[in-house]
Amino acid sequence: MKASELFNVEGRVVAITGAAGGIGLAYAEVMAANGAKVNLIDIDPLALTVAVGRLRADGSEVHGEFADVTKPDTVRQAFANIVERHGRLDVVFANAGISGGPGFLNGAGERNPAGAIENLSLDVWERVIATNTTSVFLTLQTVVPYMKQQQGGGRIIVTSSISASKTETLVSSIYATSKAAVGYLVRQAAHELAKYDILVNAISPGPVITNIGGGRLKDADARKPFERAAPLGRIATTQDLQGAALYLASPASSLVTGAQILIDGGTALGPAD
Ligand SMILES: NC(=O)c1ccc[n+]([C@@H]2O[C@H](COP(=O)([O-])OP(=O)(O)OC[C@H]3O[C@@H](n4cnc5c(N)ncnc54)[C@H](O)[C@@H]3O)[C@@H](O)[C@H]2O)c1
């Protein structure tokens, strides 16, 4: 089969949470560039307007919806608007998420008191679990009824993290816990929803250069410990995630569900020379 058929997403109705920047915007770009009808959902109205305008300039069909993924009413309204607009919902990326702050070690391998369990704030715990974990539950609850009632089922692609499958030293325990729960929810949902042809998978990146955590990975020094930990010697740009997004949204992955695609430069394998 030709790649153009295998990875065809033309005309598919796609929705992406946290799509005004970072990884979500990269998903939106690859979907739009391949002819999908793309709906960007974000909490930041200004960034949303800029992102939609930029993608439309290429002639793609792109729309923006405001929602805070921690607020059920806004999430339900955003997806209702999308289904009203297009009549269906083929692919949903549950992507929005935030950092939980630093880990218990710093880049030099020394103890970092701010990341010690006893110093972590309950407020941050609640915000991160709400944004990274409960939001995925809420998005699933919102979109599954639409996908169940339409012909052909659907695809749900969750941005998890390498933190879902290994412990972290440089990244907060709160964040790692939030993503571990997401990883398990993906497997549970995939198992339950297979009967309805709803495929649920995770993209699990290692560190990616985005605005998360105040954009700290844009700083070359801050990247170094993460680069040392990656056998391939570098960390991801958002473009490194576009191939997996296209794969999981397209016919190429029609028998894949409950999977976690690690995009981490080999970090999960352990350090190398
Ligand atoms: N960057 C990394 O190193 C990395 C690694 C693994 C996983 N991830 C995950 O990737 C996802 C995207 O992160 P990113 O790195 O692109 O971050 P980012 O900060 O660059 O972009 C996140 C986007 O989500 C939006 N957003 C934040 N809170 C929201 C909310 N409550 N409701 C709706 N939208 C909201 C922001 O406005 C922004 O447009 C997150 O789930 C994150 O945990 C990131």
Side-chain angles (χ1 to χ4, degrees), residues 33-78:
N34 286 281
K37 297 171 181 171
V38 186
N39 297 271
L40 280 59
I41 302 172
D42 207 281
I43 197 175
D44 182 339
L46 187 61
L48 194 55
T49 305
V50 172
V52 169
R54 189 159 69 70
L55 293 175
R56 277 188 183 161
D58 296 336
S60 305
E61 182 172 348
V62 180
H63 306 273
E65 294 289 343
F66 167 83
D68 175 345
V69 292
T70 69
K71 300 276 184 323
D73 290 353
T74 66
V75 172
R76 290 189 195 116
Q77 189 61 56

Side-chain angles (χ1 to χ4, degrees), residues 59-268:
S60 305
E61 182 172 348
V62 180
H63 306 273
E65 294 289 343
F66 167 83
D68 175 345
V69 292
T70 69
K71 300 276 184 323
D73 290 353
T74 66
V75 172
R76 290 189 195 116
Q77 189 61 56
F79 282 104
N81 293 347
I82 293 166
V83 173
E84 189 176 295
R85 179 180 300 125
H86 301 285
R88 59 184 291 118
L89 189 55
D90 296 306
V91 182
V92 171
F93 289 88
N95 166 75
I98 57 172
S99 161
F104 67 85
L105 297 183
N106 64 23
E110 299 152 343
R111 289 276 158 171
N112 177 19
I117 285 232
E118 65 274 28
N119 294 332
L120 298 178
S121 119
L122 183 56
D123 182 50
V124 174
W125 171 275
E126 284 171 349
R127 196 153 16 99
V128 171
I129 297 294
T131 312
N132 294 5
T133 312
T134 313
S135 72
V136 176
F137 170 67
L138 179 59
T139 300
L140 282 165
Q141 283 208 314
T142 305
V143 307
V144 162
Y146 293 122
M147 290 182 169
K148 270 187 176 174
Q149 74 189 19
Q150 68 191 13
Q151 273 293 77
R155 304 288 180 96
I156 299 171
I157 302 157
V158 179
T159 309
S160 178
S161 166
I162 185 177
S163 309
S165 45
K166 71 177 257 312
T167 53
E168 294 286 356
T169 56
L170 301 172
V171 168
S172 150
S173 301
I174 300 175
Y175 182 83
T177 306
S178 75
K179 292 297 185 177
V182 159
Y184 208 82
L185 182 55
V186 164
R187 286 159 51 82
Q188 278 295 141
H191 201 165
E192 176 181 336
L193 298 171
K195 177 184 170 69
Y196 306 99
D197 265 336
I198 301 171
L199 279 48
V200 189
N201 292 290
I203 293 176
S204 295
V208 188
I209 302 166
T210 68
N211 288 327
I212 201 167
R216 72 171 170 148
L217 292 175
K218 291 181 176 171
D219 177 70
D221 284 336
R223 280 203 297 274
K224 281 201 178 103
F226 295 100
E227 288 165 349
R228 275 197 299 273
L232 288 180
R234 69 173 180 90
I235 66 167
T237 65
T238 57
Q239 282 75 21
D240 287 309
L241 277 57
Q242 290 179 321
L246 188 59
Y247 170 67
L248 290 175
S250 67
S253 62
S254 58
L255 207 64
V256 177
T257 197
Q260 172 186 222
I261 300 186
L262 273 173
I263 302 174
D264 68 343
T267 300

